Amino acid sequence: MSGSDAFRRLLLEGNILDADRLAKADNAAKARSIPLERAIVALALADETAVWRSLAKVHGLKFVDPQKLVIQPEAQQRIPAEQIAQNEALPVLFKDGTLWVAIDDPQRTFVADTLGFIAGCAVQCALMPPTALRAQLRRFSGGAASAATPGKPAAEDASADAPIIRLVGKTIEEALEQRASDIHVEPFENRIRIRYRIDGVLREVASLDQALLGPLTSRLKIMAGLDIAEKRKPQDGRISFRASGRDIDIRTSVLPGNHGETIVMRLLDKERGLLSLEALGFEGADRERFRRIIKRPNGIVLVTGPTGSGKTTTLYGALQELNRPDVKIITAEDPVEFNIRGINQCQVKSRIGLSFARILRAMLRQAPNIILVGEIRDRETAEIAVQAALTGHLVFSTLHTNDSASAITRLIDMGVKPFLVSASVQAIMAQRLLRTLCRNCRQPYQAGEVELRSIGIDPGTIGATQLQRAVGCDQCEQTGYRGRLGIFELLELDTSLRDMTFRNEPTVRLREYAVQSGGMSTLQQDGVRKVLSGATTIQELLRVTAAM
């Protein structure tokens, strides 16, 4: 007999439900795609405690009776309050070296592994009715406990209605079809605006009635494993979505606003083919120089730029070139955006305290040749990365700075000593992404003198070269652009730059020296090369680099 059948039999034999009410609950569970026990309670067909007592018996779990609950102080002290709230598991008893925690879903016993890592002891799960558990979590943490478990819709939530489920699914699928990198759900006074970011530019695709905001927000929060009751604080989560036979990872960010919560979803296609450095638009002398740099045995190589500028893709391209059977490569990422065969990839899990710094320390005991740290966010991570570079490891990472020279100052501002930055950093590459012209509709034209000078081109130097301009057609949805490529600024530290870094000279001086010595082409200079080759337009280059 299956667990589901045994549960039904217990409900009937214990007179918790009769056959008619059980059939009614079964129909509701199937219609709303929720577990049977939650449908029973949502429809008020039986007492929640009696239902969960039977559920615990079927799954072979201990049962925590809310009426007899006495929480042992020693058990509470084993787990930090924020971890209790995040994992939705209440420590109730510590006995014979084992910590017992209460959960409300028998499918979530995996939290025992997570909490065992934090508590440093064996952890066992017991079952407790959801209403009582949420009340205890709220009392214990002093805030709102999570109202929904990741991947498990709440029965009473309006988001279980089929039209909202279809709307969310259709929105995500349409965004993927249109090659969108982000979906933005933005509430206003009288409407909800839906926008996709396609080739780095936001485009409005729908305007929904304001009345849909509650159900839409709840559905997305439930999918992302967020607290649907919490509307005052920002939240971050992840959605696993399958479309057209592909697994899509969706990073979800919720931010409270004037007219409701704004939701941004970042779409990551894990099965998408990785790009080579050439496909990214990295070419010429800089590409060969970068290839030479990444083959060095130690040091730090940084890639900088704003969010969405392709930094991670560039680093993956570098790792692909270095990935050989005789080289051990370990990465720490948040999240793991692509799976690369032959590379050990580790996911940051802040919920259990598995930060970049903690993974990086553990990495060094694994005897790697090459390390990738997804992002240097704080002094601790920066210092460990520097020490790793100085002890014979090649370290790749990213920073959020506007240009390559600013990365040196940023590391020093984080608290890394200038002499350590000078000794460890090998090269820094800044990058941006430009939209490329649609090959179906682009047209040649003769650019005017003012246009050419706006990007630093002397009109007398281009001869008969004709530039291309955007027109627009059905293939590019009348934008004139389709796809993107990178522009790059590679700064390699030579002896003079190391001396200047050691003396902590300002960013402006570092940049001036790099350009004047001929060792660095700026982002705009690389962009000009792309404009002259007909890959993009003057207007697009100015859009991305004019403010720099």
Side-chain angles (χ1 to χ4, degrees):
M1 183 183 294
S2 70
S4 178
D5 291 338
F7 181 48
R8 288 176 170 81
R9 181 176 58 78
L10 271 179
L11 292 172
L12 292 171
E13 290 178 356
N15 293 320
I16 297 169
L17 284 179
D18 58 28
D20 288 339
R21 286 185 293 171
L22 180 58
K24 184 178 179 181
D26 257 326
N27 291 334
K30 290 173 185 174
R32 300 184 181 185
S33 300
I34 58 174
L36 174 61
E37 63 270 15
R38 293 184 181 270
I40 293 169
V41 174
L43 297 173
L45 297 175
D47 176 64
E48 187 181 63
T49 299
V51 172
W52 252 255
R53 192 186 300 273
S54 299
L55 192 64
K57 189 173 182 180
V58 167
H59 288 274
L61 295 172
K62 300 284 187 185
F63 180 73
V64 179
D65 190 333
Q67 301 299 321
K68 301 176 181 178
L69 177 65
V70 177
I71 298 175
Q72 188 185 65
E74 187 181 353
Q76 287 188 354
Q77 293 164 8
R78 289 267 167 180
I79 306 292
E82 64 272 14
Q83 299 297 338
I84 292 172
Q86 287 178 2
N87 287 280
E88 298 174 4
L90 181 72
V92 292
L93 177 67
F94 183 74
K95 184 178 181 182
D96 298 328
T98 299
L99 177 66
W100 288 86
V101 298
I103 58 174
D104 65 356
D105 183 352
Q107 303 301 322
R108 295 188 65 245
T109 54
F110 61 83
V111 301
D113 294 331
T114 300
L115 296 175
F117 178 83
I118 296 169
C121 64
V123 174
Q124 292 286 338
C125 291
L127 210 58
M128 185 175 180
T131 303
L133 179 64
R134 285 200 296 269
Q136 287 294 334
L137 288 172
R138 277 196 297 270
R139 183 186 66 78
F140 182 78
S141 64
S146 179
T149 301
K152 177 186 66 184
E156 62 275 11
D157 193 85
S159 66
D161 294 337
I164 287 296
I165 294 175
R166 287 198 297 269
L167 172 64
V168 170
K170 182 184 175 185
T171 300
I172 296 173
E173 287 173 359
E174 185 183 74
L176 291 167
E177 286 172 9
Q178 295 191 26
R179 303 175 299 106
S181 59
D182 305 272
I183 301 172
H184 293 245
V185 180
E186 302 163 315
F188 293 98
E189 189 174 1
N190 300 313
R191 68 181 183 117
I192 307 166
R193 181 173 68 183
I194 308 293
R195 294 195 289 176
Y196 299 159
R197 188 181 296 278
I198 301 171
D199 292 335
V201 177
L202 284 168
R203 187 182 307 166
E204 184 170 342
V205 295
S207 182
L208 307 178
D209 194 292
Q210 174 72 11
L212 290 173
L213 181 61
L216 180 60
T217 302
S218 295
R219 175 61 186 168
L220 290 171
K221 281 185 173 182
I222 288 169
M223 290 175 72
L226 302 178
D227 182 357
I228 62 172
E230 179 56 78
K231 301 180 187 297
R232 303 162 300 166
K233 300 176 183 176
Q235 297 186 72
D236 294 300
R238 294 176 67 178
I239 298 172
S240 293
F241 191 84
R242 191 162 181 84
S244 305
R246 295 179 300 166
D247 289 320
I248 310 298
D249 190 48
I250 305 174
R251 278 189 282 179
T252 308
S253 172
V254 180
L255 181 69
N258 236 6
H259 302 290
E261 292 171 295
T262 296
I263 300 177
V264 177
M265 294 173 282
R266 181 88 182 271
L267 309 177
L268 300 171
D269 186 350
K270 287 194 172 185
E271 297 177 21
R272 190 180 67 194
L274 289 171
L275 297 176
S276 65
L277 293 175
E278 289 84 354
L280 290 167
F282 202 18
E283 54 195 25
D286 276 352
R287 182 188 65 190
E288 296 310 315
R289 203 150 54 100
F290 185 69
R291 277 187 166 145
R292 175 173 49 78
I293 290 166
I294 65 175
K295 289 177 182 175
R296 293 178 183 173
N298 55 58
I300 297 178
V301 177
L302 295 171
V303 180
T304 75
T307 302
S309 60
K311 300 185 297 295
T312 304
T313 307
T314 296
L315 289 178
Y316 277 148
L319 290 187
Q320 277 188 295
E321 297 214 357
L322 299 171
N323 189 11
R324 302 190 311 270
D326 61 330
V327 174
K328 185 174 179 70
I329 303 174
I330 309 180
T331 74
E333 304 171 62
D334 185 19
V336 174
E337 295 191 16
F338 300 101
N339 297 312
I340 310 176
R341 184 176 297 175
I343 291 180
N344 304 277
Q345 295 173 272
C346 188
Q347 168 77 51
V348 169
K349 295 177 182 174
S350 55
R351 226 180 228 202
I352 61 171
L354 199 60
S355 62
F356 278 120
R358 191 165 186 175
I359 294 173
L360 193 46
R361 280 200 202 91
M363 271 185 190
L364 298 177
R365 294 192 290 271
Q366 297 278 317
N369 302 103
I370 298 168
I371 294 169
L372 167 65
V373 184
E375 184 184 341
I376 294 178
R377 296 177 177 172
D378 51 43
R379 177 179 178 174
E380 185 181 13
T381 307
E383 288 181 338
I384 300 169
V386 167
Q387 291 303 323
L390 293 175
T391 53
H393 303 85
L394 182 61
V395 181
F396 290 96
S397 192
T398 68
L399 270 179
H400 287 283
T401 60
N402 285 329
D403 59 23
S404 52
S406 299
I408 294 172
T409 310
R410 176 80 179 111
L411 286 174
I412 294 170
D413 287 345
M414 280 183 178
V416 182
K417 299 287 192 297
F419 75 91
L420 290 175
V421 176
S422 170
S424 61
V425 176
Q426 296 286 354
I428 304 156
M429 185 162 72
Q431 70 178 73
R432 297 290 189 277
L433 292 175
L434 295 176
R435 290 182 297 170
T436 53
L437 282 162
C438 173
R439 293 189 174 275
N440 184 59
C441 64
R442 65 178 181 178
Q443 287 182 357
Y445 80 111
Q446 197 66 46
E449 183 178 336
V450 174
E451 263 190 301
L452 293 171
R453 292 195 184 281
S454 68
I455 57 171
I457 298 177
D458 182 348
T461 62
I462 67 167
T465 303
Q466 280 195 311
L467 307 187
Q468 302 283 330
R469 65 181 171 192
V471 178
C473 65
D474 290 340
Q475 287 189 21
C476 60
E477 296 172 342
Q478 308 304 322
T479 63
Y481 299 94
R482 186 175 177 84
R484 289 190 290 176
L485 56 71
I487 53 173
F488 304 90
E489 176 181 284
L490 180 60
L491 173 65
E492 182 180 1
L493 270 72
D494 60 14
T495 305
S496 297
L497 276 173
R498 292 188 192 282
D499 288 342
M500 294 170 76
T501 302
F502 181 83
R503 295 193 301 270
N504 198 12
E505 295 202 18
T507 303
V508 175
R509 292 286 308 278
L510 296 173
R511 187 172 178 81
E512 281 176 357
Y513 169 80
V515 173
Q516 290 170 6
S517 67
M520 182 181 82
S521 294
T522 66
L523 285 167
Q524 189 171 77
Q525 287 169 342
D526 191 33
V528 167
R529 287 195 286 267
K530 264 80 174 183
V531 169
L532 294 176
S533 70
T536 189
T537 63
I538 291 175
Q539 291 73 25
E540 178 65 8
L541 178 58
L542 288 172
R543 182 183 72 85
V544 173
T545 65
M548 297 184 63

